[in-house]
């Protein structure tokens, strides 16, 4: 929280004087937050404290699942942006008649950032494509879309090149591999810990019981 220590202390004293902590909803929320912190500390300091994923582990994981690690398909696209559908249809008619896409873009596109380069938008991946433009992901190189509407106007989109997926080098994938491996190991460790508690018959585990366990073992 912002403010000086004196101000923060004053706010805490005011809340105490007003009995805010005794309001059931506030008290419940404070208790829940405290239990969540204790639960997190229990996992971090005890259950998961020795769970790691080294570079060597990542290398082994990468080698065992090489087919999972590829760069996505990329497509180079250009567009012509105009204000109305009629203008887009007129531009499409010129393209169908054989005029070069770049020439038409330079003459009629209202996108000042791309018209001078013939409408070139550069390389895109599937994750970059809004839903309305998703048909472009199935086009062959050289294919031009029908008019597509957006909040900016009407677009004609051309796929100028397609780069197929290709295997990633380990150095490029290493951090992603390590992150995924670490999260998987943490999940497995949590499951093992819960299984041991269940087998001991001392506690029935669910989210609420985990918090109760953390609360019961907290040191004030």
């Amino acid at each position: 929280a912002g403010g000086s220590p004196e101000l923060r202390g004053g706010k805490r004293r005011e809340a105490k004087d007003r009995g805010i902590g005794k309001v059931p909803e506030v008290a419940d929320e404070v208790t829940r937050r405290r239990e969540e912190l204790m639960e997190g500390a229990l996992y971090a300091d005890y259950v998961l404290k020795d769970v790691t994923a080294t570079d060597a582990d990542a290398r082994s994981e990468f080698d065992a699942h090489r087919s999972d690690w590829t760069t996505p398909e990329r497509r180079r696209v250009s567009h012509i942006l105009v204000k109305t559908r009629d203008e887009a249809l007129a531009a499409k008619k010129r393209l169908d008649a054989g005029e070069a896409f770049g020439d038409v873009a330079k003459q009629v596109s209202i996108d000042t950032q791309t018209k001078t380069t013939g409408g070139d938008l550069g390389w895109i991946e599937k994750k970059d494509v809004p839903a309305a433009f998703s048909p472009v992901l199935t086009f062959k190189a050289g294919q031009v879309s029908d008019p597509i509407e957006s909040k900016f106007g009407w677009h004609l989109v051309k796929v100028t090149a397609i780069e197929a997926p290709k295997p990633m080098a380990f150095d490029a994938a290493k951090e992603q591999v390590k992150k995924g491996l670490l999260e998987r190991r943490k999940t497995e460790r949590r499951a093992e810990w819960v299984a041991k508690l269940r087998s001991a018959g001392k506690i029935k585990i669910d989210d609420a019981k985990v918090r109760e366990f953390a609360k019961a073992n907290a040191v004030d």
Side-chain angles (χ1 to χ4, degrees):
S4 69
E6 292 80 3
L7 288 174
R8 293 196 296 272
K11 290 177 180 178
R12 286 195 292 268
R13 286 193 297 273
E14 180 184 357
K16 183 176 180 181
D17 292 342
R18 293 171 61 187
I20 291 177
K22 296 180 181 179
V23 176
E25 292 81 1
V26 175
D28 289 347
E29 179 65 13
V30 170
T31 299
R32 185 182 68 81
R33 293 289 181 88
R34 184 182 179 192
E35 290 176 359
E36 286 179 350
L37 288 171
M38 289 187 292
E39 178 187 343
L42 175 66
Y43 277 125
D45 297 340
Y46 176 66
V47 180
L48 305 176
K49 66 178 182 178
D50 60 347
V51 178
T52 61
T54 65
D55 286 358
D57 295 334
R59 181 82 225 196
S60 296
E61 178 77 4
F62 179 82
D63 288 342
H65 303 280
R66 280 183 176 272
S67 61
D68 295 338
W69 296 96
T70 60
T71 60
E73 178 189 84
R74 299 199 308 162
R75 290 169 172 252
R76 188 156 195 160
V77 296
S78 297
H79 82 148
I80 295 170
L81 174 63
V82 291
K83 292 181 178 180
T84 68
R85 186 172 185 274
D86 286 343
E87 290 176 307
L89 289 172
K92 184 66 160 40
K93 186 174 181 180
R94 291 174 61 179
L95 296 175
D96 291 342
E99 290 192 54
F101 191 94
D103 291 341
V104 177
K106 290 176 181 178
Q107 293 171 24
V108 304
S109 182
I110 60 174
D111 184 349
T112 57
Q113 294 185 355
T114 65
K115 66 181 298 180
T116 57
T117 58
D120 182 39
L121 292 169
W123 292 95
I124 61 169
E125 299 175 7
K126 182 178 180 179
K127 63 181 178 60
D128 304 319
V129 179
F133 293 82
S134 59
V136 173
L137 295 170
T138 65
F139 286 5
K140 297 178 180 179
Q143 190 171 348
V144 179
S145 73
D146 289 326
I148 301 173
E149 187 179 15
S150 78
K151 63 181 181 180
F152 302 106
W154 289 83
H155 306 253
L156 297 175
V157 182
K158 179 180 181 179
V159 175
T160 59
I162 300 174
E163 186 178 272
K166 57 186 178 182
M168 293 178 69
F170 173 67
D171 286 345
K174 182 175 70 174
E175 293 307 318
Q176 290 176 265
V177 177
K178 285 178 67 175
K179 182 178 179 181
L181 183 57
L182 183 61
E183 288 305 312
R184 191 177 77 215
R185 287 179 172 179
K186 286 181 177 180
T187 299
E188 291 169 351
R189 177 61 62 84
R190 288 189 184 97
E192 290 170 2
W193 184 69
V194 169
K196 286 179 181 178
L197 289 175
R198 281 177 173 157
S199 65
K202 295 179 180 179
I203 187 169
K204 181 180 179 181
I205 300 298
D206 59 23
D207 289 343
K209 292 299 183 181
V210 170
R211 294 192 179 95
E212 289 178 14
F213 182 86
K215 182 178 180 180
N217 288 274
V219 176
D220 293 329

